[in-house]
Amino acid sequence: MRVLLVEDDAMIGDSVKLALRQEGFAVDWVQDGEAGLAAATQVGGPGEGACYDLVLLDLGLPRRSGLDVLRTLRARGVSTPVLILTARDAVADRVAGLNAGADDYLVKPFDLQELAARMHALARRAEGRAEPVLSYGAISLNPATREVTQNGEPVHLSAREFSLLSALMARPGKVWSVAQLQERLYSWDDEVGSNTVEVYIHALRKKFGAALIRNIRGVGYVVPRLEEEPGD
Ligand code: CA
């Protein structure tokens, strides 16, 4: 999951980014409201929605307040889930944030485990799922615990393999370009090799069988809808 963190406090920003990376999130961090707005309105590609799956937004920010960023995003039709991070333990701020289109909030100082759990819940809701575990045929994947099983047997995946499989499994039938998958996996400061996504796809096919991820030549990759026969 690709996440935008908008936070001007260096200590909080550092610790949140580090903790979320360890949880397998790809995190881009900006430190003022203008940069936050610019990044959050970026799109993932032609005809695609927002580049981020989730925005973590501080309210007290230099150059443009978090509330203003949020209102502007929603006014521009950006529907990315937004979780407000606020040091101000004032009910009025949280109410204003929720009314301006935020999906959830946490009051600082917050527990990083709770933050990750709320992020998973928001992602689930954005994907239209109530069930916390992603299932596809015999494969089950739990984004919160990062456990994967096939026919009930645990399957070990690297962090990147896990991120890739969860993006693909969350939207069966959606064809992803390599560039779109890269965006889901890597933040700005990660080094990305030229055929990295292909290497992970190859590893996943070895572990689950080649039918799981179909290559649409010249377009990208898809986990086929289950109604269709996975076939070839
Ligand atoms: Ca702040």
Side-chain angles (χ1 to χ4, degrees):
M1 196 194 305
R2 180 93 181 259
V3 179
L4 177 67
L5 169 64
V6 191
E7 168 65 71
D8 62 316
D9 183 305
M11 262 175 47
I12 296 173
D14 259 337
S15 62
V16 167
K17 182 171 178 175
L18 187 70
L20 292 180
R21 282 187 73 143
Q22 282 165 356
E23 288 276 322
F25 294 98
V27 183
D28 292 333
W29 174 25
V30 294
Q31 305 194 38
D32 68 73
E34 279 300 332
L37 182 63
T41 45
Q42 266 177 52
V43 290
E48 280 300 308
C51 165
Y52 293 99
D53 299 295
L54 186 73
V55 177
L56 302 177
L57 183 64
D58 179 28
L59 286 188
L61 289 167
R63 294 180 73 206
R64 194 188 266 266
S65 78
L67 210 51
D68 191 53
V69 171
L70 180 59
R71 289 196 177 114
T72 309
L73 283 179
R74 295 306 187 231
R76 291 186 192 173
V78 177
S79 60
T80 313
V82 173
L83 191 156
I84 289 173
L85 305 172
T86 176
R88 290 177 279 183
D89 190 5
V91 176
D93 276 343
R94 306 198 301 260
V95 170
L98 291 168
N99 283 339
D103 299 272
D104 199 0
Y105 67 87
L106 270 178
V107 175
K108 297 175 195 169
F110 49 81
D111 180 84
L112 290 165
Q113 289 297 110
E114 183 180 1
L115 173 63
R118 284 176 183 264
M119 290 168 69
H120 286 301
L122 285 177
R124 204 157 70 215
R125 237 177 286 159
E127 286 161 8
R129 288 185 292 125
E131 170 62 38
V133 175
L134 275 171
S135 296
Y136 183 84
I139 304 168
S140 292
L141 178 152
N142 188 327
T145 63
R146 309 182 63 74
E147 286 164 336
V148 183
T149 60
Q150 187 172 30
N151 297 312
E153 295 292 319
V155 181
H156 179 76
L157 298 186
S158 73
R160 301 283 194 215
E161 287 167 8
F162 185 92
S163 299
L164 188 56
L165 183 62
S166 49
L168 287 163
M169 266 178 62
R171 296 175 185 83
K174 175 182 164 60
V175 182
W176 297 79
S177 70
V178 169
Q180 287 168 339
L181 289 171
Q182 261 170 13
E183 269 165 17
R184 289 276 138 326
L185 258 57
Y186 297 99
S187 58
W188 294 328
D189 29 71
D190 287 322
E191 297 241 349
V192 189
S194 58
N195 62 349
T196 334
V197 165
E198 283 88 347
V199 171
Y200 293 130
I201 299 261
H202 181 75
L204 288 171
R205 280 179 161 160
K206 261 183 107 167
K207 289 176 184 179
F208 297 100
L212 175 65
I213 303 168
R214 203 183 278 181
N215 176 222
I216 311 290
R217 230 166 275 282
V219 186
Y221 294 96
V222 59
V223 164
R225 281 183 215 285
L226 272 179
E227 303 87 84
E228 303 167 21
E229 260 323 295
D232 48 78

